[in-house]
Amino acid sequence: MTTSPLLDATGVAKNYGAVAALRNASLSVLPGEVHALMGANGAGKSTLVKILTGAISANAGRILIKGEARDIRSPAAARRAGLLPVYQEPSLIPDLDVLSNLRLTGTPVEPFRAWVRELGIPDLDIRDTARDIPLAVLRVLDLARALAVEPDVLLLDEMTAALPANLAEKVLEVVRRQGDSGRAVIFISHRFVEIAALCDRATVLRDGETVGVVDIVPGVEEKIVELMLGTRIVKTHIAARTAEQKAAPAPARPRIAVRDLRVGTKLADVSFDLADGEVAGVVALEGQGQDELFAALAGSIRPSGGTIEVDGQPVKFSHPIDAIRAGIAYVPGDRSEALAMQRSVRENIALPFSAALRNWGPIPIRRERAKVLSAIERLQIDTRAQGEVQRLSGGNQQKVTIARWIAADARTILCFDPTRGIDVGTKQEIYKLLRELAGNGKSVLFYTSELEEVQRVCDRVIVIFGGRVVDIFTVEEADEPALMRAAYGLPRGAEADIGILADPSSPSATAPEPTP
Amino acid sequence: MSTSAITPPPVPLGRRVKRFMADRPLVPLLILLVVLVVILQILRPGIVNERWIANTIKFAIPLAILAGCQTMTMLTGGIDLSVGTVATMSAFIMATQIVNQDPAVAFLLAMMPAVLIGLVNGIGVGVFRVHPLIMTLGTSLIGTGCLQVYQRTVIASGAKIPDFLAWLGTGVTRLPEAWVPSEPARQWLADTGIGFAFPNALLLYVPVAALIVFTLARTGFGRLLYAVGDNEHATRLSGVRYWQVITALYITSSVLAGITGLLYIGLIKAPSLSLAEPLVLPSVAAAVIGGTSIFGGRGGYTGTVVGALILTVLTTLLTILQMPEGARRMLFGLIVLFVTAAYLRIVEER
Amino acid sequence: MSHLLRRQGWVLGLFALFVVLFIVTRLIQPAYGSNDFGSLVRAVLPYAFAVAAQTVVVIAGGIDLSVAAMMALTSVTAASMMAGASEEYALFVVPFVLAMGLVLGALNGLLIVVTRVPDIVVTLATLFVLQGAALLVLDAPGGAAAEWLKALISGTVPIPGLPDAIDAWLPKALLVLAVCLCIVWIPLRRSRLGLSIYAIGSSELAAFRSGVPVKRTRIIAYALSGLFAAMGGLALTMSTGIGAPIPGPYLLASVAAVVLGGVALGGGKGGLLGPIIAVFVLRLVRTDLTLLAIDPNVTAIIEGLIMVAVVMFGAFITMRGRQ
Amino acid sequence: SAAGKYTIGISNTVQGNGWREEMVCAMKAQALASGEVTKLNIAHRNTDAAGQLEDIRNLISAKVDAIVVNPADPAGIKAGLEEATKAGIVVVAVDQAVTEPSAYIISNNQEQYAYLGAKWLFQQMGGKGEVFYMRGAAGASADSDRDKGFKKALAEFPDVKVAQEVFTGWQQDQAKQQMLSFLATGTPFNGVWTSGIDNVIVDAMVESQAPLVPVVGADNAGFVGQLSSVKGLVGAAVTNPGSIGGAGVTLALQILDGKKPAQQTVLVDPQLWENATEEGKAKLKGAADPSLSPEWPVSISIPDWTTYTKEQIVACKGPGE
Ligand SMILES: Nc1ncnc2c1ncn2[C@@H]1O[C@H](COP(=O)(O)OP(=O)(O)OP(=O)(O)O)[C@@H](O)[C@H]1O
Ligand SMILES: Nc1ncnc2c1ncn2[C@@H]1O[C@H](COP(=O)(O)OP(=O)(O)OP(=O)(O)O)[C@@H](O)[C@H]1O
Ligand SMILES: [Mg+2]
Ligand SMILES: [Mg+2]
């Protein structure tokens, strides 16, 4: 190719203490292209974006912008160099209104307004405080703010993950046009459909290293997956579950019966059962109400309608302790929500033991140690750095959040994406553990963002879309295409295309409520 | 998952020392304490004797208990500025009620405002989520006002320091010499002037300190304090009710402050309406110097104890120095800042 | 309109409270008039500057315990410089003292940024340092103030064409207060810098990612706090004509008024107007207590109760709002 | 008694200190005893000169007939006092002088207070030796006035040296700790001059079994008691009556009734009660009052100036209460 790259990064490395988030990443982006940055969870995509945009500094590496070596030390420097990111987390200042946020970053207002309209939000009031704006809209505003300054390189980190289909579609359109007008876009997404529809090339990261750059042509998906997973390509037809592991026939009375559960506008009329000895999967795109479902079952939020029955008794949870007393434990997806990072592994695992007022006295050290050790052993937690949980690796941290409830012997565990950002080996251990729990007569509700996990772990799969249960599959029926279609709200068996072309008039596709 | 074949380069001594100290945060503090004492001894040869040590301990104890209140509240990310008022109230009430009341009744009356203020603080912070700084400041204002109204009703009856409190606060007990096994050892101890006497206040303080250390390290309540300060959300998900922990915490803190007041009145022997107020800011400083994070989740009581000793010795040191009062205060501020900054540097180096 | 209500609801509520209190004052003392209002404003002056100093750093997500000590130092510096000096010399003293506040404030910020010691501890240490420095400047109350400085806050603003009856309600002190605060605050509020101060208080990470130079902004916030505190120090010297090295009760009052004024102690929220009105309310409460000849020992209880009750009320409202 | 005809305003800027509490009680008791006062309007809190200006102006707004003020600073409240006089209000400053010429002053002579005590102390020390000089709060005007008196006495005794000078901040705990630290240094000293934080100093010497040296303090009940009861203690209490507040009220009432004093300033000179002579001991015995709070000065009345009884000042009730 004759055109010189707009952005050329090579040999980028970044360590967080003992963790190497990036080892040797490179990325080269040409003018006018939409370049996908792909990789499994934790491969280092976000880290690379943060380095390129000056949000963190790299330990090693060279970055050329338009052929010139630049040392980008701050987000402000990146802006001046023409690099603008939309991070995975919203970066508007929560307590400022939108207008002030624009002024803070020196973004021109009129182009911003134009972009916001173009991106499918016609009635934004720019005097609204960022804190009061729904997440999906915030992401779009972030994008519009970036677009308004016409950057040379736009870096979008999982921009579409939290968007309803209609907004996502608008975003894709806009991004495509950016490429056409000669600017470059770095686009991170886990959705192949989007990549296929949008991108020219893709750089694939694995364990912090660039393992390949491919042109996007029909059928390249297999290759990308191969690159992403590397030798660990255990992906396929596992049948990790043998027949014996499958649950016994459902007992007469369900452990938990959810009927017509409603939570605000997020969840409507959700009904399902969870039986003892069963792992029930929950599959949904981002933000379809699964968070609220789990939070309601865990006693974190109060449902606005419907009933939850535990062992046939109706329950009303006003605090997580009520759920815990009913034997229901919740493992949130975000480890930092569940762990006291500066405390030891032992204290974290033993935390629920001290929760109740009557257990505030002296700790029965021996008994506690025995319980904690057996949980640690069961999950094979690496205890070399057990003094502070924050020194553990991500996978081990995740194990601690689960070990807590193994030690507390909870009868039902609600696992929200427990394998997010952890490696294949640990994932296998967690799958095994969940199956074992089911084998011991416990029940598990398991939300996952990786469809293939469903086959390995679940007995049944509940698919949620737009706050409603759209389908419940048995594990045999739950192949990825079927799940994917259901997750997009398409009826079973229909042959519609998924992704960008999903029906905009479907329930979730309504625009976010206009803000007052 | 490959093991690195390169053997790590030898760690330079400076780093090793730093790491050693980082893993034992008490060591640098103790070193500092010793350094201060040595400086004092150099400035005034002979000052470091039995009597001085006993006095230093006597004055460090009330500070250390109040700093214990701060340590516990700071572990949860709070602060308790009402301890000075609470201590003063219980001291003043004790000294005035003892004139006409049975000692037990006077004691109960003296502890009542402590419990009450602790409860109000706890509810304000734990239930209404008022910022601890404002909450405790407000209750301490109210407490001071109530005390002033109260004192007018008791001027006529006068005040008295109960003998027991005076004994506890100021008394020194000599250990029987027979306890020292050999004559030469006795002689040596007598020559160097150490070891035969200890302040009676230790009889109260050692159990209290042990209780605080034990509570923080080995009880469910202590665990929860750390956990709540580290990540409130996580504790909620583990079934902890925040308001219970916080209310219990502020009541505990207030009760400890009340007990400090009783001890302090025994030490000072002059009831006044601002008796323990001057201890409030130093108690915060002692906890911070002792390595407790003001943002919660990290720290412990042993460091605080050394912090209180450091501040007490520092006060003496500055009193001894012949320099204008202004320069003395400046030096105090600078030393506190320097010590905290250096200590943070050392401890964060891991 | 609804925007205004939602955003400034607290401030409007406070203002309403002030008006009610004012009416109550007139009921207690029917003769309460423009002169007395002038007295109120003059009493408010040092508090208002202390509160402004505190507000800036609290909005930036910090706290400044050295406000009162800074006022004492700047006040004694000004008073000792003006003692025995000519009237014109004061023209030099005023900017000098203001610059001094600015620099010392910046030093506060610098220490926080460099040592990474929590702000509450750093400013506690500088509280002692500044207090000590004040004692070195003057070891007892003393010094003097230029006559024109003293005159600057007494009397009313003669506005030609305005009837005296209205004019009387425009004390010079109010004008001085408004001018000093507005000169700094309004341009600040409208500038990128002002937004940056809100931004670092609201979310340091988001601010950093939005390209805000976090450290520099923090230092500037403390420098502004120092500047306001220096104005407070000057106000003390102007009203008393001397400098006193022992800090007055401005630290706790400033924190209380900041919270009453609707500025969250976590940072990022609120403005300057609320805390200033809160100061007026608190001072007027004191006036009323004096007019009513309430037992002076009860006044401390009342002031504490007001503080706790209002803050709890605020917390209660936000809790209700969240549900 | 008669219903009274005057409203008197009172402004004081130190709260929670025994001396000042006595002063306020003396004002109330005298107002009650005089029968001429309908209402007292008391502004009594911890604040500075600017805060006192606020209080004085509030009292002007309250239309009182007279203001009795214990000034936070002699010069700092000039403007407020001037306004008060202009508004036709009689202004009386007690305890310390003020610079406002229109104000009447009835005051304890702080310089004389220090001079008297220090001179006696140096004589006791035989005109030579080392003195431990325990001052009040750094930066307070009363403290610097007393310092002048102390230095004046010191100049008269060239062989007396200051072993150590400390600021107690008028705080009991701090003073005691300073005394104990000083004792521990083993520095030889022959006398202690304290700025009124006295009984804790004697306590400290007794507790640490240090040889008792002469101590000069104020006439606080606690210290006066010690002077008669502590064996081997030689010392003197210099009077600094808090009842000066009552005298201030009396003066204000006299002026309101048209009986202006000959001079603008009335100085109440301190007396010295020592226990070195039999005569002194008798005086002390007469003054000692164990029923009073140890922080209260025992001189609860000033002859010719106050008319209340002990019960009245201890009850601490003003007119209408
Ligand atoms: N602040 C941090 N401290 C420690 N480790 C970190 C930190 N940030 C990221 N990491 C680690 O670095 C690795 C790369 O993270 P990164 O967020 O770049 O992954 P990603 O490719 O964006 O993953 P995802 O698809 O889940 O967003 C992960 O293993 C993560 O745990
Ligand atoms: N700061 C530290 N201090 C001490 N030990 C540490 C520290 N960081 C990591 N370790 C130890 O090294 C081990 C490996 O950590 P690392 O973060 O590299 O794991 P990882 O390969 O990323 O695993 P995962 O995929 O689970 O995140 C940890 O389990 C821990 O015991
Ligand atoms: Mg990412
Ligand atoms: Mg890892």
Side-chain angles (χ1 to χ4, degrees):
Chain A
M1 243 179 270
T2 48
T3 37
S4 62
L6 256 181
L7 170 72
D8 188 22
T10 45
V12 181
K14 173 74 190 176
N15 295 323
Y16 285 111
V19 183
L22 286 178
R23 291 169 220 276
N24 178 18
S26 53
L27 175 65
S28 174
V29 185
L30 300 172
E33 86 170 327
V34 179
H35 193 110
L37 185 57
M38 307 206 61
N41 290 127
K45 306 176 295 288
S46 302
T47 307
L48 184 57
V49 167
K50 285 176 194 158
I51 288 173
L52 290 175
T53 54
I56 55 178
S57 60
N59 298 109
R62 193 177 57 123
I63 298 169
L64 298 181
I65 294 169
K66 295 180 188 153
E68 269 175 64
R70 293 291 279 268
D71 188 12
I72 296 175
R73 286 171 174 278
S74 69
R79 292 173 81 83
R80 284 193 293 274
L83 264 55
L84 232 69
V86 175
Y87 296 113
Q88 215 167 344
E89 314 84 26
S91 56
L92 259 54
I93 310 292
D95 290 310
L96 292 182
D97 60 14
V98 177
L99 184 62
S100 302
N101 266 294
L102 296 180
R103 301 225 330 265
L104 186 66
T105 48
T107 310
V109 177
E110 272 322 307
F112 170 82
R113 279 190 205 265
W115 281 116
V116 170
R117 275 193 298 274
E118 188 137 342
L119 284 164
I121 302 174
D123 48 4
L124 175 80
D125 184 344
I126 59 170
R127 308 291 325 202
D128 273 341
T129 307
R131 196 184 285 287
D132 304 333
I133 298 175
L135 178 71
V137 179
L138 274 183
R139 311 263 318 137
V140 173
L141 297 185
D142 252 347
L143 175 60
R145 188 169 65 157
L147 287 167
V149 294
E150 309 187 348
D152 296 330
V153 183
L154 186 61
L155 301 96
L156 306 180
D157 193 352
E158 304 207 16
M159 177 66 223
T160 51
L163 296 188
N166 64 329
L167 286 180
E169 206 172 317
K170 288 262 170 44
V171 167
L172 295 181
E173 265 173 52
V174 165
V175 169
R176 178 74 263 172
R177 270 191 282 128
Q178 284 287 300
D180 294 342
S181 63
R183 289 191 260 276
V185 180
I186 296 171
F187 187 80
I188 299 176
S189 170
H190 291 292
R191 299 180 183 166
F192 276 111
V193 229
E194 295 174 359
I195 305 285
L198 197 64
C199 301
D200 306 304
R201 294 192 300 156
T203 293
V204 183
L205 284 179
R206 181 172 74 232
D207 291 342
E209 238 171 306
T210 297
V211 289
V213 182
V214 295
D215 288 328
I216 304 292
V217 289
V220 77
E221 285 93 336
E222 279 308 315
K223 170 123 172 76
I224 292 179
V225 171
E226 217 168 280
L227 284 170
M228 271 175 13
L229 299 180
T231 49
R232 298 185 283 174
I233 183 147
V234 230
K235 177 213 167 187
T236 45
H237 14 276
I238 356 73
R241 292 174 43 214
T242 60
E244 308 93 76
Q245 281 177 302
K246 286 196 182 165
R253 198 181 61 184
R255 161 81 174 133
I256 297 180
V258 176
R259 294 287 171 269
D260 305 325
L261 193 68
R262 265 189 300 114
V263 176
T265 57
K266 294 298 181 61
L267 213 55
D269 303 330
V270 169
S271 305
F272 64 88
D273 289 342
L274 180 66
D276 282 324
E278 173 185 55
V279 180
V282 174
V283 163
L285 300 176
E286 288 267 359
Q288 301 302 316
Q290 64 270 44
D291 307 70
E292 287 75 16
L293 172 63
F294 275 69
L297 288 176
S300 266
I301 56 175
R302 270 181 236 197
S304 40
T307 57
I308 301 172
E309 282 179 16
V310 176
D311 297 327
Q313 300 294 320
V315 290
K316 284 236 182 310
F317 299 149
S318 60
H319 186 275
I321 186 76
D322 302 331
I324 293 167
R325 292 226 171 93
I328 301 174
Y330 173 49
V331 180
D334 184 355
R335 301 186 276 276
S336 64
E337 265 182 39
L339 296 175
M341 285 292 178
Q342 303 172 55
R343 309 310 304 164
S344 68
V345 169
R346 179 151 131 208
E347 277 178 51
N348 269 286
I349 292 179
L351 192 51
F353 298 162
S354 314
L357 205 55
R358 62 171 182 284
N359 295 331
W360 282 10
I363 296 167
I365 295 287
R366 274 230 213 105
R367 235 177 44 220
E368 180 189 288
R369 181 178 300 148
K371 276 193 197 167
V372 168
L373 281 183
S374 100
I376 287 178
E377 217 151 275
R378 185 126 177 233
L379 280 120
Q380 295 174 9
I381 297 172
D382 177 352
T383 52
R384 278 173 300 162
Q386 60 175 316
E388 280 181 30
V389 164
Q390 63 190 357
R391 293 204 229 174
L392 293 183
S393 76
N396 281 303
Q397 288 179 0
Q398 191 66 44
K399 287 182 186 172
V400 172
T401 62
I402 301 175
R404 174 184 290 166
W405 299 114
I406 305 286
D409 204 23
R411 270 186 68 200
T412 300
I413 299 188
L414 313 170
C415 278
F416 196 92
D417 217 5
T419 55
R420 185 190 284 178
I422 64 182
D423 75 77
V424 161
T426 310
K427 280 183 183 172
Q428 295 291 358
E429 285 168 26
I430 290 180
Y431 302 150
K432 204 164 127 239
L433 179 79
L434 295 183
R435 285 314 317 167
E436 264 175 42
L437 288 174
N440 296 342
K442 316 241 173 247
S443 49
V444 178
L445 193 66
F446 173 64
Y447 168 76
T448 173
S449 55
E450 293 176 45
L451 294 181
E452 54 161 47
E453 291 185 341
V454 166
Q455 289 274 333
R456 300 171 187 224
V457 187
C458 306
D459 299 300
R460 285 187 308 141
V461 193
I462 300 156
V463 184
I464 298 180
F465 180 72
R468 292 168 193 277
V469 173
V470 288
D471 212 339
I472 299 184
F473 293 88
T474 62
V475 68
E476 288 81 10
E477 304 163 320
D479 56 1
E480 286 191 34
L483 286 175
M484 188 57 100
R485 265 195 295 276
Y488 273 96
L490 300 177
R492 220 191 271 208
E495 272 308 308
D497 204 348
I498 53 173
I500 329 176
L501 302 176
D503 181 8
S505 65
S506 67
S508 82
T510 45
E513 301 153 54
T515 42
Chain B
M1 296 245 160
S2 67
T3 39
S4 158
I6 318 150
T7 45
V11 187
L13 182 68
R15 273 193 75 83
R16 276 216 316 267
V17 170
K18 257 182 131 178
R19 186 156 307 165
F20 173 82
M21 302 225 264
D23 289 339
R24 291 165 195 76
L26 213 53
V27 173
L29 281 180
L30 284 170
I31 292 177
L32 179 69
L33 180 61
V34 171
V35 167
L36 284 178
V37 172
V38 168
I39 294 178
L40 196 59
Q41 174 71 10
I42 292 171
L43 285 177
R44 280 291 165 95
I47 183 173
V48 182
N49 55 27
E50 181 188 320
R51 196 196 283 163
W52 179 81
I53 292 174
N55 282 337
T56 305
I57 291 176
K58 276 189 235 167
F59 278 90
I61 284 174
L63 180 60
I65 305 182
L66 292 189
C69 303
Q70 302 301 353
T71 305
M72 288 194 286
T73 42
M74 273 162 60
L75 285 177
T76 65
I79 193 167
D80 189 349
L81 295 184
S82 65
V83 288
T85 302
V86 169
T88 306
M89 285 178 93
S90 58
F92 195 85
I93 295 176
M94 186 70 180
T96 46
Q97 287 299 326
I98 195 80
V99 179
N100 302 320
Q101 301 277 8
D102 190 61
V105 177
F107 174 76
L108 289 181
L109 285 173
M111 295 310 286
M112 216 168 57
V115 174
L116 212 65
I117 288 186
L119 183 70
V120 174
N121 281 340
I123 291 174
V125 176
V127 179
F128 288 91
R129 304 285 177 141
V130 177
H131 197 288
L133 193 83
I134 291 295
M135 193 63 215
T136 54
L137 202 61
T139 48
S140 102
L141 268 184
I142 298 174
T144 307
C146 291
L147 191 59
Q148 267 152 7
V149 172
Y150 167 81
Q151 69 101 33
R152 275 222 327 262
T153 67
V154 291
I155 284 175
S157 55
K160 189 178 125 203
I161 312 302
D163 292 340
F164 173 70
L165 289 184
W167 177 83
L168 196 61
T170 56
V172 170
T173 301
R174 305 214 144 256
L175 293 179
E177 292 209 4
W179 287 11
V180 182
S182 70
E183 180 56 38
R186 224 170 290 162
Q187 193 54 49
W188 183 79
L189 284 175
D191 288 347
T192 48
I194 31 173
F196 276 101
F198 72 91
N200 297 337
L202 283 175
L203 291 178
L204 173 74
Y205 180 65
V206 170
V208 166
L211 193 70
I212 296 179
V213 171
F214 179 79
T215 303
L216 290 182
R218 286 293 171 86
T219 66
F221 180 58
R223 285 265 172 93
L224 294 185
L225 293 183
Y226 282 100
V228 160
D230 192 322
N231 188 343
E232 190 204 321
H233 191 77
T235 55
R236 187 176 141 84
L237 289 184
S238 300
V240 179
R241 287 185 200 272
Y242 179 75
W243 71 267
Q244 286 180 346
V245 179
I246 294 298
T247 308
L249 165 69
Y250 281 92
I251 292 179
T252 311
S253 170
S254 265
V255 168
L256 278 178
I259 291 173
T260 311
L262 299 188
L263 186 65
Y264 204 49
I265 188 75
L267 175 58
I268 303 300
K269 295 201 205 150
S272 90
L273 295 182
S274 56
L275 182 71
E277 271 336 313
L279 292 182
V280 177
L281 289 185
S283 75
V284 177
V288 172
I289 290 177
T292 298
S293 161
I294 206 147
F295 303 118
R298 192 160 60 193
Y301 189 55
T302 44
T304 304
V305 176
V306 185
L309 279 169
I310 287 177
L311 280 183
T312 313
V313 174
L314 188 61
T315 311
T316 312
L317 184 62
L318 290 177
T319 308
I320 297 297
L321 285 179
Q322 285 292 8
M323 54 167 71
E325 177 68 12
R328 230 176 262 165
R329 281 193 205 176
M330 290 182 78
L331 206 59
F332 180 82
L334 289 175
I335 290 175
V336 167
L337 180 60
F338 175 78
V339 167
T340 323
Y343 186 70
L344 273 187
R345 278 283 146 83
I346 291 174
V347 174
E348 273 174 3
E349 179 74 31
R350 306 200 227 215
Chain C
M1 192 60 214
S2 77
H3 262 300
L4 187 72
L5 262 180
R6 221 180 35 215
R7 239 162 240 248
Q8 306 290 352
W10 190 259
V11 176
L12 291 175
L14 268 178
F15 190 72
L17 183 60
F18 177 72
V19 171
V20 169
L21 271 174
F22 195 85
I23 295 169
V24 169
T25 311
R26 283 295 284 256
L27 290 179
I28 300 171
Q29 175 60 276
Y32 191 88
S34 56
N35 264 340
D36 308 293
F37 178 68
S39 302
L40 177 71
V41 178
R42 273 185 285 177
V44 159
L45 212 53
Y47 287 95
F49 286 119
V51 164
Q54 196 66 264
T55 303
V56 180
V57 286
V58 170
I59 286 178
I63 194 158
D64 187 353
L65 300 188
S66 68
V67 166
M70 181 83 82
M71 285 168 71
L73 175 59
T74 46
S75 165
V76 290
T77 307
S80 66
M81 282 173 85
M82 285 189 273
S86 68
E87 290 281 299
E88 295 75 41
Y89 186 63
L91 283 174
F92 161 76
V93 172
V94 171
F96 174 83
V97 166
L98 292 181
M100 181 171 131
L102 198 73
V103 170
L104 289 176
L107 207 64
N108 249 342
L110 198 70
L111 284 172
I112 290 165
V113 167
V114 171
T115 62
R116 282 179 284 138
V117 174
D119 40 24
I120 192 166
V121 182
V122 171
T123 52
L124 178 63
T126 45
L127 176 153
F128 285 104
V129 174
L130 296 176
Q131 223 181 70
L135 277 172
L136 288 183
V137 175
L138 274 186
D139 60 4
E147 290 306 321
W148 66 266
L149 264 180
K150 286 195 260 185
L152 212 56
I153 58 163
S154 58
T156 59
V157 196
I159 297 177
L162 219 59
D164 277 356
I166 296 181
D167 208 35
W169 287 92
L170 257 177
K172 273 194 206 157
L174 189 61
L175 191 74
V176 169
L177 177 64
V179 166
C180 287
L181 294 182
C182 292
I183 263 184
V184 180
W185 186 254
I186 289 182
L188 180 72
R189 188 73 220 245
R190 299 184 170 271
S191 69
R192 277 271 271 285
L193 176 63
L195 287 176
S196 301
I197 289 176
Y198 276 88
I200 63 170
S202 179
S203 160
E204 212 177 306
L205 180 67
F208 175 65
R209 287 185 174 172
S210 299
V212 174
V214 175
K215 290 183 180 172
R216 201 197 312 158
T217 309
R218 174 148 301 139
I219 293 174
I220 293 176
Y222 276 92
L224 287 174
S225 163
L227 177 67
F228 280 132
M231 290 179 182
L234 280 176
L236 283 178
T237 302
M238 280 153 85
S239 66
T240 60
I242 54 156
I246 300 180
Y250 303 106
L251 169 61
L252 298 186
S254 73
V255 177
V258 161
V259 176
L260 286 187
V263 177
L265 272 184
K269 274 189 238 157
L272 189 54
L273 192 59
I276 298 291
I277 298 180
V279 168
F280 271 90
V281 168
L282 288 177
R283 287 351 291 160
L284 195 54
V285 165
R286 170 138 278 284
T287 302
D288 287 349
L289 291 175
T290 309
L291 293 181
L292 285 171
I294 299 268
D295 180 335
N297 293 316
V298 178
T299 54
I301 305 179
I302 294 177
E303 282 173 340
L305 276 179
I306 289 179
M307 197 162 108
V308 170
V310 172
V311 173
M312 274 200 181
F313 175 71
F316 183 70
I317 287 190
T318 34
M319 257 202 300
R320 283 277 297 275
R322 245 184 268 132
Q323 276 168 12
Chain D
S1 66
K5 40 196 168 167
Y6 301 121
T7 306
I8 292 187
I10 284 164
S11 165
N12 173 43
T13 58
V14 178
Q15 201 175 19
N17 160 307
W19 193 93
R20 298 284 184 127
E21 298 299 330
E22 185 186 280
M23 179 190 81
V24 172
C25 288
M27 290 167 164
K28 290 182 171 184
Q30 184 58 35
L32 185 66
S34 72
E36 288 193 80
V37 181
T38 1
K39 194 171 82 173
L40 278 183
N41 208 332
I42 306 176
H44 173 44
R45 57 172 175 148
N46 283 312
T47 187
D48 60 348
Q52 188 159 39
L53 277 175
E54 175 187 3
D55 286 343
I56 291 171
R57 289 180 176 134
N58 282 339
L59 291 173
I60 299 175
S61 300
K63 306 253 180 285
V64 294
D65 299 303
I67 295 178
V68 182
V69 53
N70 185 336
D73 179 84
I77 53 168
K78 184 165 186 294
L81 298 184
E82 199 180 321
E83 284 163 38
T85 311
K86 275 206 192 115
I89 298 172
V90 171
V91 176
V92 174
V94 297
D95 190 30
Q96 299 179 66
V98 289
T99 56
E100 167 59 30
S102 67
Y104 295 87
I105 297 161
I106 178 157
S107 156
N108 292 320
N109 191 337
Q110 297 299 347
E111 196 177 323
Q112 185 65 16
Y113 167 93
Y115 175 74
L116 202 62
K119 192 169 157 191
W120 179 85
L121 178 66
F122 299 157
Q123 280 163 352
Q124 283 297 311
M125 287 161 57
K128 62 180 192 303
E130 309 266 331
V131 61
F132 187 25
Y133 180 30
M134 307 189 78
R135 298 178 60 172
S141 63
D143 179 74
S144 59
D145 285 349
R146 288 183 180 183
D147 188 46
K148 278 182 213 137
F150 183 86
K151 293 276 158 66
K152 192 169 128 197
L154 199 61
E156 291 173 15
F157 293 84
D159 290 335
V160 174
K161 297 275 173 301
V162 173
Q164 173 103 28
E165 173 179 333
V166 294
F167 286 90
T168 62
W170 279 310
Q171 274 159 6
Q172 317 262 10
D173 62 326
Q174 204 170 325
K176 188 162 188 185
Q177 189 177 355
Q178 284 162 343
M179 186 66 199
L180 289 171
S181 297
F182 182 72
L183 287 172
T185 64
T187 314
F189 67 112
N190 313 90
V192 184
W193 186 92
T194 73
S195 188
I197 298 293
D198 32 31
N199 49 342
V200 288
I201 301 305
V202 177
D203 271 341
M205 287 200 287
V206 172
E207 274 161 27
S208 47
Q209 288 153 8
L212 288 172
V213 297
V215 180
V216 168
D219 58 339
N220 300 324
F223 183 59
V224 169
Q226 280 173 332
L227 282 179
S228 330
S229 65
V230 175
K231 256 231 209 70
L233 174 67
V234 177
V238 185
T239 59
N240 180 35
S243 39
I244 192 81
V249 171
T250 305
L251 179 60
L253 289 173
Q254 283 176 3
I255 299 167
L256 285 173
D257 289 338
K259 289 176 276 181
K260 293 208 170 141
Q263 287 133 0
Q264 204 75 0
T265 303
V266 182
L267 276 187
V268 175
D269 269 328
Q271 300 174 19
L272 184 127
W273 305 332
E274 37 77 36
N275 67 357
T277 62
E278 283 311 316
E279 186 199 344
K281 273 186 190 153
K283 257 194 202 161
L284 273 171
K285 255 223 168 64
D289 191 345
S291 74
L292 281 178
S293 154
E295 267 202 275
W296 267 42
V298 288
S299 40
I300 48 172
S301 60
I302 301 177
D304 304 336
W305 284 104
T306 60
T307 54
Y308 49 76
T309 63
K310 181 183 166 194
E311 284 69 37
Q312 277 176 317
I313 182 172
V314 165
C316 200
K317 285 219 189 322
E321 274 185 62

